[in-house]
Amino acid sequence: AGASDGSGNGKVSVKADGTWGGPLTLTSSGSVAGTGDTFAIIDDDGVRIHSSAGWGATTPISGLGGEEELRGAAHGYLALGTSSTSWVANHFDGSTWSPQLALGNKLGSRPAILSDGAQWWIATAADGDVKVIRSVGADWSAPEVIDASASPASSPAVAKRGNDLVVAWTQDAILHVRTLRGGAWQPEQLPVQRSHTGGARDPVMATSAGAAFSVATWQQLSAGKWHVFASILGGGSWSIPTDLGEGRAPVATVNATAGVVFFIGPDAHSVRAARILPGGAEASVQVASLKECPTPTFCRSLLRPSSDLHLATSGSGFLAVWFYYHPSTSVGEVHWSKSADGAS
């Protein structure tokens, strides 16, 4: 379990034999990830792994000094962060940390990370070109540039669909998608047309475990306001995008029968949800109203959906969890909402 001590430094507590242990204080906000048998934390000092024997020693990762994020999978861990100039990544295969990989200007878009169960994939556009890199043993592959435009790209997203790897990004005011199939990159697909007053941005993708369908969601200006859109890949092509309503910063998850998109609603005063079916998207519904925000600007500064809004699915059900800070009491709270089928 993770929390904060109020100064921006994270705290982590471990539950063993039904009892929570004393919290471990981190040297930054930090990040927590698990692999099933172990879990690990990352902060400004480095990475510590917890197993049945307890906490291991901290492994310093040189040059990883900000924006730390840790991901866990059966084959190991991946640490993402920033150096003084660049986004950087290291991965751990269970015994060895890889050489550090520079992913481009730290002022550029955050790289997207994916485990396919056997190796790590990273899509980055931090320097304007879309590059895909994968872990190879204890090292990294050479980067592949997959966009064809000279215009700068941003906001990469990556998902696995069956044996295919799907990468999305924004460029030239359009959401682009390419698929790696059978070791070869397929031609670009364009699920979004230039039909609105502002370009698409911040795409997110989710794919069902059986690869029956995939969902892409993003925010885009419509009539001068940010709206959330979704497109469905149920066969060989993406559906016409559906406008889910006014909002921003969506996240998504998909199970075998449906998907759910959660996003911050109009003026950042609410959390909204829309169920996604293979045949299209239903209208969004309000899940919670954030009544403590005195102004939209203040609320937006307190609710960061990219890091504070999370989704999970089990069976046919969905669970959303988010963090919200009450300005009137200076207290942060964890809120949640669940649905048996994504419809209510």
Side-chain angles (χ1 to χ4, degrees), residues 146-326:
I146 65 169
D147 69 297
S149 174
S151 302
S154 63
S155 306
V158 61
K160 194 75 174 171
R161 186 171 187 261
N163 293 322
D164 295 347
L165 183 80
V166 184
V167 180
W169 68 93
T170 55
Q171 193 172 32
D172 299 317
I174 295 176
L175 180 67
H176 296 248
V177 179
R178 288 198 75 178
T179 299
L180 180 63
R181 179 174 299 145
W185 287 100
Q186 305 303 302
E188 289 187 17
Q189 295 174 289
L190 305 177
V192 182
Q193 305 301 318
R194 296 176 185 262
S195 58
H196 300 281
T197 56
R201 57 175 287 183
D202 301 329
V204 175
M205 290 191 297
T207 300
S208 61
F213 70 104
S214 300
V215 171
T217 181
W218 62 94
Q219 67 183 59
Q220 186 168 351
L221 281 175
S222 180
K225 295 183 178 180
W226 287 111
H227 282 230
V228 172
F229 289 79
S231 180
I232 317 299
L233 177 62
S237 60
W238 293 89
S239 68
I240 297 173
T242 300
D243 187 345
L244 301 181
E246 189 179 345
R248 65 183 185 90
V251 295
T253 190
V254 179
N255 61 27
T257 59
V260 165
V261 174
F262 266 74
F263 58 96
I264 306 306
D267 296 326
H269 282 272
S270 62
V271 178
R272 302 184 68 86
R275 185 169 66 160
I276 310 295
L277 301 173
E282 297 178 343
S284 64
V285 297
Q286 182 167 300
V287 174
S289 177
L290 306 179
K291 300 180 183 300
E292 293 289 330
C293 294
T295 67
T297 300
F298 191 62
C299 185
R300 279 193 289 269
S301 70
L302 298 174
L303 185 59
R304 305 181 305 277
S306 61
S307 60
D308 293 335
L309 181 57
H310 303 274
L311 278 173
T313 182
S314 178
S316 62
F318 297 90
L319 174 68
V321 179
W322 64 94
F323 174 83
Y324 180 64
Y325 175 83
H326 288 266

